[in-house]
Amino acid sequence: MLKVRFAPSPTGPLHIGGARSALFNYLLARKEDGVFIVRSEDTDLERSSRESEHNIMEALRWLNIQWDEGIEVGGDNGPYRQTERLALYQEYTDRLLASGDAYYCYCSEEELEQERQDLMAKGETPRYLGKCRHLSAAERQTYEAAGRKPVVRFRVPEGRQILINDRVRGEVVFDSDGIGDYVIVKSDGIPTYNFAVVIDDTTMNITHVIRGEEHLSNTPRQVLIYQALGLPTPEFAHISLILNTEGKKMSKRDGDTAVIDYQAKGYLPEAVVNFIALMGWSPPGEEEFFTLEEMTQAFSLERVSKSPAVFDLNKLNYMNAHYIKQADPERLTDLAVPYLREMGAIPQGTLSEEERAWVTHYVQAIINHLSYMAQVKDFVHYVQGGEAPTPEGEALEILQGEQVPAVLDLFVEKLKSLEAIRVDTVKPLFKQITKETKLGGKQVFMPIRIALTGQMHGPELYDIVPLLGLENVLSRLAGTKALLAGSR
């Protein structure tokens, strides 16, 4: 049975690159009726935290990437935190020491740094040259009597070609002579990544390892450990780096890189999942919008590119805007409420039926202007009390047209004659005014829009008027007339 895993280090939030790795593992597991495991690589004791671990799990759940086994769900191959598996790692360490594939190293940090500097001065790749490879028992005893705490190093075989058939990158060959004997257990007894990950993948029966390209250089070290222990090697698939639009590796300078940042801004999870899936995976055909179920059916490693993916925020915004337009109005209302409360546009506590209906109408009125839900804050000034923003430039010039006072007066007259201010009652007024004044539509619509909002563009007028309410509309129109009277 196919088994894959996602194994984040809980030292911070889930980033976009990690989310993509998790997604590709999830999709392959679902496509092949396999098992998807999520575990925690928490051996960085200083930086790891249970809080970060829980936040990563919550981000995965928000993206609807559900796992079958692992952290917070349990399973038959636990525990799923590396710090809770130290006894298991010790068993395999003892096997490698007994077979001579690993040894104790007592070199100090100063000695290692000097060796590194000497190699670099010769133009060679820094690596451990094996000073402690053949220590006698007496030499070991001397070091220990001096209080030196050893690390455990893996004995890298010399003159070996390490071949990796990568499902994404094809055949990749490494030379063992360029690696040097590497540490597998630190002096405090904590295993290093390259050792622990092999034991975890082996004991959890992982068949496919799908991860970021940055791990490719670690793979020969891991393969050597598999071989030394006589263990089957999983299939590897190293997916490309994610670059910014300038072709450089993504960083905080490029904006938000954590999934939680996009959740906080009101991006829809299905849009984020769709977007990150297309960073490195090319679905068949021309379609670009996929549900998670559709992605599962279409996904294959053969269509994952080894070329770098590009994180294009404009593309994400375009995709999210599409999903917003498709979303249920009640769901969008729920998403909008916290942002509107934050700026005091709606009251705290449970909304009345009328208040909630106002939010729903407001969101639908501005839906074509939204790339993400936090932007609902940007349009409140159109539809809430107080004075409209003062028009400037071309907008002010339009208001100074000689037909404007008559248009505004007729609009007020018709509004006051309505029994109720609703979209269906307001919408016909504008055609009535154009007909009675014999003016073009733009000469009617534009002055009224600017008088009410101070802007030449924005939501539909027949939405703005009911959202503002009669009292606010009349107040804003009176303010505009006063402004015009003062400028004439």
Side-chain angles (χ1 to χ4, degrees):
M1 176 187 285
L2 179 141
K3 282 187 97 172
V4 294
R5 48 60 167 191
F6 176 58
S9 296
T11 56
L14 177 66
H15 290 275
I16 290 292
R20 183 186 61 163
S21 295
L23 176 63
F24 283 8
N25 277 283
Y26 168 88
L27 291 173
L28 188 65
R30 293 294 173 266
K31 175 78 176 283
E32 302 294 336
D33 292 323
V35 174
F36 176 43
I37 296 176
V38 173
R39 63 181 194 235
S40 178
E41 295 183 346
D42 62 343
T43 51
D44 186 338
L45 301 180
E46 287 186 10
R47 297 170 61 224
S48 295
S49 73
R50 289 292 178 88
E51 181 184 6
S52 288
E53 179 185 278
H54 179 69
N55 289 343
I56 290 170
M57 303 304 129
E58 288 300 294
L60 289 174
R61 288 191 177 102
W62 179 71
L63 292 169
N64 204 25
I65 299 174
Q66 307 292 341
W67 54 105
D68 309 298
E69 184 184 321
I71 295 291
E72 297 184 0
V73 302
D76 297 332
N77 298 286
Y80 296 95
R81 296 183 184 92
Q82 288 183 337
T83 52
E84 297 171 0
R85 299 168 63 82
L86 299 182
L88 179 65
Y89 303 135
Q90 187 60 53
E91 288 178 30
Y92 284 91
T93 303
D94 292 342
R95 281 175 58 177
L96 291 171
L97 288 167
S99 66
D101 291 299
Y103 59 90
Y104 290 106
C105 170
Y106 295 86
C107 292
S108 68
E109 289 294 329
E110 292 76 18
E111 290 167 336
L112 294 170
E113 180 58 28
Q114 186 59 56
E115 182 176 85
R116 183 173 175 276
Q117 294 295 336
D118 291 346
L119 285 168
M120 289 175 69
K122 295 177 187 175
E124 296 183 33
T125 304
R127 63 196 185 282
Y128 183 67
L129 295 179
K131 179 181 175 182
C132 294
R133 257 187 168 220
H134 305 291
L135 291 181
S136 66
E139 287 171 318
R140 283 185 56 195
Q141 214 167 17
T142 301
Y143 279 128
E144 288 181 9
R148 289 203 184 189
K149 288 189 174 182
V151 299
V152 178
R153 285 186 184 273
F154 183 81
R155 193 187 302 274
V156 175
E158 297 174 0
R160 184 181 294 183
Q161 295 278 293
I162 305 159
L163 175 65
I164 296 157
N165 287 308
D166 192 279
R167 290 284 299 274
V168 172
R169 319 197 85 72
E171 192 175 279
V172 186
V173 180
F174 294 89
D175 184 351
S176 67
D177 291 343
I179 295 175
D181 295 351
Y182 51 93
V183 176
I184 59 172
V185 182
K186 294 181 281 188
S187 58
D188 59 2
I190 301 294
T192 60
Y193 166 74
N194 282 317
F195 180 50
V197 74
V198 169
I199 308 310
D200 291 342
D201 285 345
T202 290
T203 54
M204 294 181 190
N205 301 307
I206 299 301
T207 61
H208 294 69
V209 173
I210 306 169
R211 58 190 179 187
E213 179 187 347
E214 63 272 19
H215 288 290
L216 183 59
S217 60
N218 291 321
T219 308
R221 293 168 172 79
Q222 294 162 20
V223 167
L224 288 173
I225 294 173
Y226 280 110
Q227 293 172 346
L229 290 168
L231 300 170
T233 305
E235 290 192 44
F236 293 100
H238 288 90
I239 55 183
S240 62
L241 293 172
I242 298 177
L243 307 179
N244 62 20
T245 49
E246 296 175 354
K248 297 176 182 175
K249 191 172 179 182
M250 277 269 291
S251 71
K252 271 289 185 186
R253 286 190 295 271
D254 299 305
D256 298 317
T257 58
V259 170
I260 195 172
D261 295 331
Y262 293 95
Q263 182 181 6
K265 285 186 174 178
Y267 285 81
L268 304 188
E270 59 269 36
V272 177
V273 163
N274 196 158
F275 172 73
I276 62 177
L278 297 179
M279 286 195 295
W281 170 62
S282 301
E286 300 298 317
E287 184 56 55
E288 58 183 345
F289 295 106
F290 293 87
T291 65
L292 206 49
E293 292 73 24
E294 290 166 343
M295 277 182 242
T296 298
Q297 294 306 311
F299 185 79
S300 70
L301 288 174
E302 286 65 39
R303 299 194 70 88
V304 174
S305 172
K306 62 183 178 183
S307 302
V310 175
F311 183 94
D312 184 347
L313 185 58
N314 290 330
K315 177 73 176 288
L316 173 58
N317 286 341
Y318 156 74
M319 298 191 82
N320 199 61
H322 168 84
Y323 279 99
I324 286 174
K325 292 183 185 76
Q326 304 294 316
D328 177 65
E330 289 300 313
R331 179 188 178 198
L332 296 181
T333 299
D334 290 336
L335 290 170
V337 163
Y339 303 110
L340 297 174
R341 277 209 179 111
E342 182 186 318
M343 64 182 303
I346 57 175
Q348 301 294 322
T350 304
L351 296 181
S352 68
E353 194 174 319
E354 185 179 343
E355 289 164 340
R356 185 173 174 84
W358 184 92
V359 175
T360 302
H361 182 187
Y362 169 64
V363 173
Q364 293 305 307
I366 62 171
I367 198 166
N368 291 326
H369 302 273
L370 296 177
S371 294
Y372 50 91
M373 291 305 295
Q375 289 177 326
V376 296
K377 297 190 290 186
D378 299 343
F379 299 90
V380 168
H381 65 275
Y382 284 113
V383 296
Q384 283 211 329
E387 295 180 2
T390 303
E392 297 176 346
E394 187 182 352
L396 182 57
E397 287 178 23
I398 290 171
L399 273 189
Q400 290 170 334
E402 62 179 61
Q403 90 286 2
V404 170
V407 167
L408 297 183
D409 285 342
L410 187 54
F411 181 53
V412 168
E413 180 187 321
K414 291 193 173 293
L415 270 181
K416 287 181 175 179
S417 70
L418 296 177
E419 289 185 12
I421 308 292
R422 300 188 310 267
V423 171
D424 63 317
T425 60
V426 172
K427 197 171 184 179
L429 299 187
F430 304 105
K431 279 192 177 179
Q432 293 172 20
I433 295 170
T434 56
K435 189 174 181 181
E436 292 178 28
T437 58
K438 296 184 171 54
L439 294 170
K442 192 173 181 181
Q443 290 178 294
V444 171
F445 291 110
M446 195 64 79
I448 295 174
R449 174 181 294 283
I450 296 168
L452 292 178
T453 69
Q455 311 288 321
M456 293 172 60
H457 307 285
E460 297 288 354
L461 270 176
Y462 53 73
D463 281 315
I464 291 173
V465 172
L467 287 165
L468 272 170
L470 181 60
E471 186 179 332
N472 287 324
V473 168
L474 296 178
S475 173
R476 289 191 175 193
L477 291 174
T480 299
K481 290 171 76 174
L483 173 71
L484 296 178
S487 65
R488 289 186 187 277

